[in-house]
Amino acid sequence: MEFLTDEQAEAYGSFAEEPTRPELERFFFLDDEDRNLIAKRRGDHNRRGFVLQMCTVRYIGLFLEDPLAVPWPVVEHLAAQLEIEDPSCLKDYTERLKTAYEHAWEIRDAYGYQQYEDPAHGRIFRAFLHKRAWTHAEGPVALFNHAAGWLRRHRVLLLGVNVLARQVSEVRTIAEKRLHATVA
């Protein structure tokens, strides 16, 4: 949309930069529940691919089209936790396309990620967005970032960048009209 720069739109829903050390420790740490799910995978490449998808959705808020499009330090950090010595085995993960989709569905179900299209979550999100636009005097980029953060925190998979930007624009327009009506 017109309020996002090309760089901001491109960075949305991707690894724009390598995660910092605190981000690695927060989003890419494997607890016992994670390890139990990972242990069900056969082969190092499937364990690595599964864990990359699991941690990517935690960090970014969606599953990447290319589940391997992650910075190498992330791959190394997760490999160290899984004690997998050959990180190059990961390239075999995408040989069977359906595997990545099946893993994404399993991760979504195991960790409670929801689609935005779910009426209850969509309604709650829109209510948040309207309240935020009405009560905070912030620009569209800030509102966009708060919206993306809300979706991540509530485990609702991110919308497309244009869809979310359009919703932010619409909500801001409604809030502005409401403000003008109230003042008048």
Side-chain angles (χ1 to χ4, degrees), residues 67 115-116 120 139-140 154 160 178 182:
Q115 299 285 344
Y116 174 78
H154 290 88
R178 182 177 171 194
T182 302

Side-chain angles (χ1 to χ4, degrees), residues 33-34 37 54 58 106-113 155:
E33 181 181 354
D34 299 334
L37 274 174
M54 180 179 64
R58 279 185 202 158
E106 185 176 349
I107 292 163
R108 189 186 70 205
D109 293 343
Y111 292 97
Y113 286 94
R155 293 186 180 186

